[in-house]
Amino acid sequence: MSNDGFNFETIDKKWQEKWENEKLYQVDGESGKPKYYVLDMFPYPSAAGLHVGHPEGYTANDILARFKMMNGYEVLHPMGWDAFGLPTENYALKMKIHPEIATAENILNFRRQIKRFGFSYDWSREVNTTDPEYYKWTQWIFVKLFENGLAYEKQALINWCPSCKTGLANEEVVDGKCDRCGAKIERKNLKQWMLRITSYAERLINDLDLVDWPEDVKTMQKNWIGKSTGALVNFHVKNTQEDLEIFTTRPDTIFGVTYMVMSPEHPFLDKVLSGQKKKELNKYRELIQSKSDLERTELNKDKTGISTGLFCINPLTNEDIPIFVADYVMMGYGTGAIMAVPAHDQRDFDFAKKYNISIVPVIEPFDGIVPTEEAFDAVGTMINSGEFNGIKSDDAKEKIISFIEEQKLGKKSIQYKLRDWIFSRQRFWGEPIPIVHCEKCGAVAIPVEELPLKLPDVEFYETSGTGESPLAKMPEWVNTTCPKCGSKAKRETNTMPQWAGSSWYYIRYTDPKCTTGIASKEAINYWLPVDTYIGGREHTNLHLLYVRFWHKFLQDIGVVDCPEPFARLRNQGMVIAEDGRKMSKSLGNVVNPDEVLDKYGADVIRLYEMFMGPFNQESVWNTKGIEGVNRFLYKVWDLFDPKLLIKCCDDETNRLVHKTVKKVTHDIEEFSFNTAISAMMIFVNHLHKLKMKPKNALKILLCLLAPFAPHISEELWENFGETSSIFKSKWPEFNSELCKDTEIVVPIQINGKMRDKVIVSAEIKESELKERVLAREKVKVFIGEKKIVKWIIIPLRLVNLVVK
RNA sequence: GCCGGAGUGGCGAAACUGGUAGACGCACAGGACUUAAAAUCCUGCGGUAGCAAUACUGUAACGGUUCGACUCCGUUCUCCGGCACCA
């Protein structure tokens, strides 16, 4: 190295200590400046420690936070720990230590690693979801949900992970496997606490219009909520007093119904079947039960079912139609029963073919060719449909719904795929659900004054796997009295899922020590919503859906005022290992940030993480690539030779200053950090070529670089004689007029092909430009004998001659 | 199957509302400095042909619109992500 002054170890340490002593990043909401709330998805502190993927998002947000600070904002930028949950509990069981101790150790390690990057966190606001002073308020929110009828108990067939020995929410099941451990999910019938997220379905869809989130994330949430519009229609069951209610999105196909299907779990079947048919049903149910969800979906191609021997009457045709039971109809959606139209639904078509059920087309394709080997599910003309014949099928939809409503056969209806949130976990390391089961009063919430309901103080516990929480085996904790009537009562022994604590932490940060509520109203109203939120795309249908649900509930009970928690969301892409695979412990390809920090220091790793590629895209870790940004920072350091400074800037340099400020300012706002760094590299390469370095250009460079590489920037700033932090200085301004070049290179095309270039003044008149172009030897050659048909002149950009 | 997103040098990538494709960085090659190496500095670097000026060709493939297409339209292929019997 050509210098000996740049020692990142001392510089990093010096500035991190200084920032901490000066409380540079602590905010109180009383500065009088406009606020800006920058938030990272807080990490789950695992035993494995930080990997290089974590700091990508943190660095981006830190750049934004420092940029906003320099632009005159009071910036709230907090960090904390999402520390309850299975991995820690499993780790603790394995190591035979208490999860509380394991959690404390993991947090210690995470905090140490994160601090090495020199992020601008206000550490005085740190939160920890496992702290009783925190989970007191998580429990409080649960009590409020309970009091408002949004938390309820239900005996239900739920997703059960045999390896984690707990029930899971639908959102935690991926491809029929446990999101955490990959074990195949089983079904288990358990009494569960559920949260009524479904009553917020409509608002969860509509309010996506209020936020600046990536479109794909919005779409994913919309699809997950899965709204569909159709009708509920009653079909009378022959020889009974009963009606069978079905949901359909295709009322236009009602005349084509040739059979009905009920889900095997449908309770109606128990009411109406007896004898031999009942036996057949039970046999079929056993067959279904023995299959996991995964196998059940694998049955896709080959549909199974049994006949019930019962018939319905089609309310529009008065024809008798048979009722079947088949597992391609789910109990959890709509009414658990469908009308089957094989001519216009592929699933019904497959089933009808297999069981020889008739297929009656009621919609004719516009080309008149009715397919016979598959269902026709597009729009066409109505046929075989009585008075509706001849009209377009999508117009018929509305007409038939109206008709059905007039005849009191059914009504218009909206259904969602979203299910209520299964909220109980049969594990130890989570917030205890603050409910007491009283012999007389039933489920009673624990009064607020008695919260937090702490986890029992035990040395060791085991996960039962029976569907009971380990807490159930602690009678001294379980047995209690009813807060309402004083009778004997038992505590709820299930705990909350990991997603509970993370569903409101962004509120706690605004007032982390508040003892009178989840945060004071002033703090909430001052800081919320979060202005920019950063995290991985994998949380779209879990965390981000749950948070929005809780937020809307908190809005309904007057705790928060804004409709959405996160005004702007940006996703970081994953960091892939050098071998092109996902970084994982088992593959041994994980890059530990500690090693990179030891070798290069905080500024280099920060810069590299941002330079790897576009922020929201997956990027591959490349050890060689780090050298490039390392060289860049050394080059910056070398520019600051006090013997080579001059006051004034030449015109060219001055233009580049303005151009660079413009580009970096714009790119930070747009999260285009890689191109911002590239612009600074161009700037530095230019300064490097100058014999004498203009002082004002160097100072501006430092300001631009400071959010990216804060340590080295502060050090050089101080060397320049500045006495207060560079982050207290103003972000440089640019003048668009001064970005303009006086001389420009104009490319000349002939018939759209690049042929020549000419250097002209930026202010050149069109007539003069034409002359200059025609004077070019090459242009003359290419025109030759041909005639100029058209001049296309794009000012400052190019000239194109059309010749014939 | 359905819904998103993406395909650009040896590699990571850039290109504003259609206007010089490959900025910036990595790797590589040549040179300077050095006893030598590392570091640093300078030069070159999509492909084909040519000593060269230069020409042709080139942004997954094919076709279209346009004076002009990585960018717009159509068809196809590949990869990634999400959903998946949701009636």
Side-chain angles (χ1 to χ4, degrees):
Chain A
M1 251 359 111
S2 61
N3 68 79
D4 46 21
F6 180 22
N7 179 333
F8 62 81
E9 271 171 57
T10 38
I11 293 176
D12 286 4
K13 194 164 166 261
K14 170 180 164 185
W15 288 101
Q16 287 173 17
E17 280 171 6
K18 247 186 162 156
W19 295 331
E20 200 173 331
N21 293 338
E22 285 177 20
K23 302 192 165 137
L24 190 61
Y25 309 123
Q26 283 193 29
V27 286
D28 55 14
E30 284 170 16
S31 64
K33 297 175 184 172
K35 71 96 186 178
Y36 199 90
Y37 188 173
V38 171
L39 184 65
D40 299 306
M41 285 187 189
F42 65 165
Y44 182 85
S46 70
L50 214 65
H51 77 87
V52 289
H54 286 106
E56 196 193 2
Y58 304 159
T59 304
N61 247 351
D62 192 54
I63 291 166
L64 182 67
R66 292 173 184 277
F67 171 75
K68 288 289 175 187
M69 255 177 243
M70 293 170 82
N71 277 286
Y73 288 87
E74 181 175 21
V75 178
L76 175 57
H77 188 204
M79 180 44 76
W81 317 106
D82 184 15
F84 268 133
L86 270 174
T88 303
E89 185 174 342
N90 290 342
Y91 172 79
L93 283 169
K94 196 172 133 200
M95 306 303 284
K96 298 221 185 314
I97 50 171
H98 197 277
E100 197 177 321
I101 295 166
T103 300
E105 282 173 3
N106 293 348
I107 288 177
L108 214 62
N109 188 39
F110 260 67
R111 193 193 293 114
R112 176 193 64 79
Q113 288 190 297
I114 287 176
K115 281 200 166 185
R116 293 190 68 186
F117 285 82
F119 296 128
S120 59
Y121 293 129
D122 178 353
W123 285 103
S124 72
R125 290 173 183 260
E126 185 176 341
V127 302
N128 173 349
T129 55
T130 67
D131 180 347
E133 285 313 302
Y134 181 93
Y135 71 68
K136 168 180 180 172
W137 298 107
T138 312
Q139 290 173 332
W140 180 86
I141 296 171
F142 181 88
V143 169
K144 291 291 156 196
L145 284 161
F146 176 70
E147 288 170 358
N148 284 276
L150 293 168
Y152 63 97
E153 272 189 296
K154 189 185 170 191
Q155 184 81 25
L157 264 186
I158 56 138
N159 313 300
W160 177 261
C161 172
S163 158
C164 295
K165 295 174 183 162
T166 184
L168 299 175
N170 291 325
E171 289 80 8
E172 292 171 302
V173 180
V174 178
D175 284 337
K177 290 175 198 157
C178 172
D179 189 30
R180 277 285 174 200
C181 71
K184 272 193 186 176
I185 295 304
E186 296 169 357
R187 315 204 122 241
K188 206 175 179 109
N189 206 339
L190 280 182
K191 201 170 187 189
Q192 298 285 314
W193 281 95
M194 315 276 286
L195 297 189
R196 224 179 282 281
I197 189 171
T198 49
S199 44
Y200 284 81
E202 193 64 24
R203 278 162 73 188
L204 288 170
I205 292 178
N206 292 339
D207 289 357
L208 285 172
D209 291 340
L210 306 177
V211 293
D212 172 13
W213 285 22
E215 277 311 311
D216 59 327
V217 171
K218 288 189 185 183
T219 310
M220 270 195 247
Q221 284 210 350
K222 278 183 198 158
N223 290 345
W224 184 261
I225 297 167
K227 178 179 179 174
S228 37
T229 311
L232 289 167
V233 187
N234 287 308
F235 283 65
H236 184 69
V237 182
K238 227 179 160 181
N239 304 327
T240 71
Q241 302 298 310
E242 309 286 341
D243 278 354
L244 180 59
E245 188 179 47
I246 57 95
F247 174 71
T248 179
T249 56
R250 296 295 307 275
D252 50 325
T253 62
I254 267 190
F255 286 86
V257 175
T258 54
Y259 64 99
M260 308 291 282
V261 189
M262 296 171 78
S263 155
E265 297 92 356
H266 204 297
F268 183 81
L269 292 166
D270 298 298
K271 226 192 299 184
V272 292
L273 289 189
S274 57
Q276 183 57 27
K277 283 291 174 190
K278 179 112 194 178
K279 274 185 198 159
E280 276 177 43
L281 174 70
N282 287 338
K283 236 173 105 186
Y284 185 63
R285 280 179 173 172
E286 270 169 43
L287 180 83
I288 303 299
Q289 279 276 312
S290 69
K291 282 167 186 142
S292 71
D293 261 20
L294 207 59
E295 286 166 315
R296 201 164 154 176
T297 40
E298 274 166 10
L299 289 174
N300 248 341
K301 289 145 212 158
D302 192 27
K303 299 198 187 323
T304 67
I306 55 168
S307 157
T308 60
L310 293 170
F311 286 86
C312 268
I313 298 164
N314 186 325
L316 295 197
T317 61
N318 283 322
E319 276 169 33
D320 289 357
I321 41 184
I323 305 176
F324 286 81
V325 171
D327 73 338
Y328 80 92
V329 172
M330 310 282 125
M331 194 55 228
Y333 183 79
T335 63
I338 62 154
M339 60 178 219
V341 188
H344 304 292
D345 183 288
Q346 193 57 42
R347 293 156 301 182
D348 299 343
F349 184 90
D350 296 340
F351 191 84
K353 277 278 177 198
K354 183 169 170 186
Y355 293 98
N356 268 323
I357 307 168
S358 62
I359 298 169
V360 179
V362 291
I363 296 168
E364 190 179 67
F366 293 126
D367 62 12
I369 304 162
V370 180
T372 53
E373 288 314 305
E374 56 176 18
F376 172 70
D377 57 10
V379 176
T381 310
M382 302 289 290
I383 52 168
N384 300 329
S385 302
E387 58 183 287
F388 300 98
N389 280 344
I391 56 178
K392 243 174 95 186
S393 62
D394 49 357
D395 296 335
K397 249 183 216 176
E398 283 303 314
K399 291 209 164 86
I400 292 180
I401 291 178
S402 308
F403 180 79
I404 286 168
E405 284 183 336
E406 278 163 28
Q407 304 291 311
K408 306 231 178 314
L409 299 166
K411 57 180 183 208
K412 191 167 179 165
S413 168
I414 291 167
Q415 299 287 328
Y416 301 92
K417 280 199 257 179
L418 185 70
R419 309 291 153 83
D420 275 343
W421 177 4
I422 297 165
F423 200 67
S424 303
R425 296 295 176 273
Q426 293 70 40
R427 298 290 300 226
F428 176 81
W429 197 229
E431 302 87 344
I433 292 176
I435 293 284
V436 159
H437 297 279
C438 168
E439 289 171 351
K440 287 181 188 153
C441 314
V444 178
I446 294 178
V448 183
E449 315 80 74
E450 287 173 35
L451 297 178
L453 169 62
K454 290 191 192 174
L455 281 166
D457 200 7
V458 287
E459 272 180 30
F460 195 72
Y461 57 87
E462 229 172 293
T463 313
S464 62
T466 58
E468 275 206 317
S469 153
L471 294 177
K473 283 193 225 139
M474 299 169 194
E476 64 290 356
W477 189 83
V478 172
N479 293 317
T480 183
T481 51
C482 172
K484 238 193 216 165
C485 72
S487 312
K488 268 194 195 169
K490 283 182 189 298
R491 290 193 191 284
E492 168 65 47
T493 55
N494 284 328
T495 52
M496 298 189 200
Q498 204 199 322
W499 314 102
S502 59
S503 289
W504 69 282
Y505 76 112
Y506 62 101
I507 300 175
R508 189 65 178 171
Y509 280 139
T510 67
D511 192 4
K513 309 224 160 56
C514 184
T515 54
T516 53
I518 69 171
S520 75
K521 192 81 192 190
E522 300 113 273
I524 289 172
N525 286 345
Y526 181 73
W527 290 111
L528 291 187
V530 172
D531 293 284
T532 296
Y533 193 34
I534 292 189
R537 226 174 247 96
E538 67 275 17
H539 293 110
T540 300
N541 288 339
L542 287 154
H543 168 62
L544 284 175
L545 200 60
Y546 298 148
V547 186
R548 294 183 60 225
F549 161 43
W550 278 34
H551 186 92
K552 289 184 182 307
F553 167 67
L554 292 171
Q555 187 194 5
D556 288 351
I557 62 168
V559 174
V560 299
D561 282 350
C562 50
E564 283 286 325
F566 314 122
R568 181 164 87 140
L569 173 76
R570 292 294 178 264
N571 295 125
Q572 84 252 23
M574 253 205 309
V575 178
I576 298 293
E578 214 150 355
D579 57 12
R581 294 183 293 184
K582 238 185 188 175
M583 280 191 193
S584 97
K585 225 158 107 190
S586 57
L587 293 169
N589 57 6
V590 178
V591 179
N592 184 341
D594 278 329
E595 291 165 22
V596 188
L597 284 157
D598 288 343
K599 197 168 170 199
Y600 296 100
D603 290 339
V604 169
I605 189 170
R606 290 170 56 113
L607 216 48
Y608 177 63
E609 297 246 2
M610 294 298 98
F611 191 60
M612 279 193 294
F615 178 69
N616 61 357
Q617 233 175 70
E618 198 172 79
S619 42
V620 180
W621 189 266
N622 180 348
T623 308
K624 287 267 176 59
I626 302 170
E627 290 292 344
V629 288
N630 191 39
R631 265 175 226 156
F632 167 66
L633 282 189
Y634 271 93
K635 232 169 174 174
V636 170
W637 184 266
D638 280 347
L639 288 176
F640 290 79
D641 186 337
K643 282 170 290 195
L644 298 175
L645 293 179
I646 47 163
K647 270 194 181 156
C648 290
C649 222
D650 60 281
D651 282 356
E652 195 192 348
T653 305
N654 196 44
R655 260 199 306 278
L656 191 57
V657 167
H658 284 270
K659 278 184 188 170
T660 309
V661 173
K662 186 178 180 182
K663 175 101 181 117
V664 174
T665 306
H666 175 261
D667 284 355
I668 291 177
E669 275 160 0
E670 295 298 309
F671 269 58
S672 182
F673 304 107
N674 54 333
T675 51
I677 294 168
S678 145
M680 288 190 276
M681 284 174 167
I682 293 168
F683 189 27
V684 167
N685 287 345
H686 172 82
L687 293 172
H688 190 78
K689 282 181 194 144
L690 299 178
K691 262 196 198 123
M692 301 300 284
K693 322 293 181 194
K695 201 172 167 182
N696 65 327
L698 291 185
K699 282 181 83 170
I700 288 173
L701 170 66
L702 283 187
C703 289
L704 298 182
L705 185 64
F708 296 81
H711 306 86
I712 188 177
S713 305
E714 284 272 37
E715 181 73 13
L716 289 168
W717 190 248
E718 190 186 59
N719 290 351
F720 249 171
E722 297 287 344
T723 49
S724 74
S725 167
I726 193 167
F727 299 105
K728 288 186 176 167
S729 68
K730 262 196 83 194
W731 185 254
E733 284 176 2
F734 62 90
N735 180 337
S736 289
E737 286 303 308
L738 295 176
C739 293
K740 288 179 183 163
D741 293 307
T742 48
E743 282 206 319
I744 49 165
V745 180
V746 178
I748 303 169
Q749 295 186 345
I750 288 163
N751 286 339
K753 286 208 172 189
M754 264 294 301
R755 293 305 179 191
D756 200 7
K757 287 168 192 172
V758 62
I759 299 168
V760 298
S761 150
E763 262 116 59
I764 195 167
K765 290 205 182 85
E766 211 179 285
S767 54
E768 198 194 334
L769 180 62
K770 281 183 179 177
E771 270 174 46
R772 294 284 304 278
V773 168
L774 291 174
R776 305 285 302 173
E777 277 308 314
K778 278 187 81 175
V779 173
K780 286 180 188 165
V781 171
F782 273 99
I783 295 176
E785 297 293 302
K786 290 173 201 146
K787 259 193 175 168
I788 299 171
V789 183
K790 202 174 172 186
W791 282 86
I792 289 154
I793 298 172
I794 312 293
L796 306 173
R797 302 237 49 137
L798 97 165
V799 171
N800 186 11
L801 287 176
V802 186
V803 300
K804 255 185 191 166

